[in-house]
Amino acid sequence: MGATIKVGMADLNVCKAPNSITTLGLGSCIGIAVYDPVTKVGGLAHVMLPDSTRMKNNSNIAKFADTGIEELIKRVTAAGASKNRLVAKIAGGARMFEVSGLSGVGNIGAKNAEASKKKLRQLGIRLIAEDTGLNYGRTVVLDCNNGDFLIKSVGKANKVI
């Protein structure tokens, strides 16, 4: 087992076997893992918001699904992954806070998940698994040896997608 690379909130990074890459505490945020099974190069982004075009101060490209996924693909291909072999898995997008009345306001998690899927489709990256929604946080680990995406949640059994 290699090293584990940590990705913070509104951040992204690249990983190669035998290493793995993780991000902690995904609530309404989405963890997007991409992986090339041949070169065993992967990457992980921790995005907080769906759309950079709606914000004035959007200098942090990793914060948004649209720009973060583009940058993630750029970096993993620069590290040796082939774009047409990449597969994606996503987790997170929980509804962490119930907002009475205006239901659309509280569900940033669902918007993040939808924006992530839309961007992957636009870039031609196949989404092969997801664990999104519900009302609990997740910690995720992408194993670059085999592409397994481990999802850990407090009080729940670990699962691999």
Side-chain angles (χ1 to χ4, degrees), residues 6-7 17 33-34 37 40 59 62 64 70 84 91 104-105 109 119 126 147 157:
K6 287 190 171 37
V7 172
V34 294
K40 298 189 184 310
S59 57
F64 305 95
E70 274 182 13
N84 51 9
V105 174
K119 191 64 189 182
R126 277 186 320 134

Side-chain angles (χ1 to χ4, degrees), residues 43-57:
L44 182 65
H46 182 142
V47 302
M48 294 172 66
L49 294 167
D51 186 1
S52 65
T53 61
R54 299 186 176 213
M55 302 294 263
K56 287 201 166 57
N57 181 11

Side-chain angles (χ1 to χ4, degrees), residues 12 32 45 47 61-73:
L12 54 86
I32 298 126
V47 302
I61 50 179
K63 186 184 243 183
F64 305 95
D66 56 351
T67 49
I69 293 172
E70 274 182 13
E71 180 65 18
L72 183 64
I73 303 306

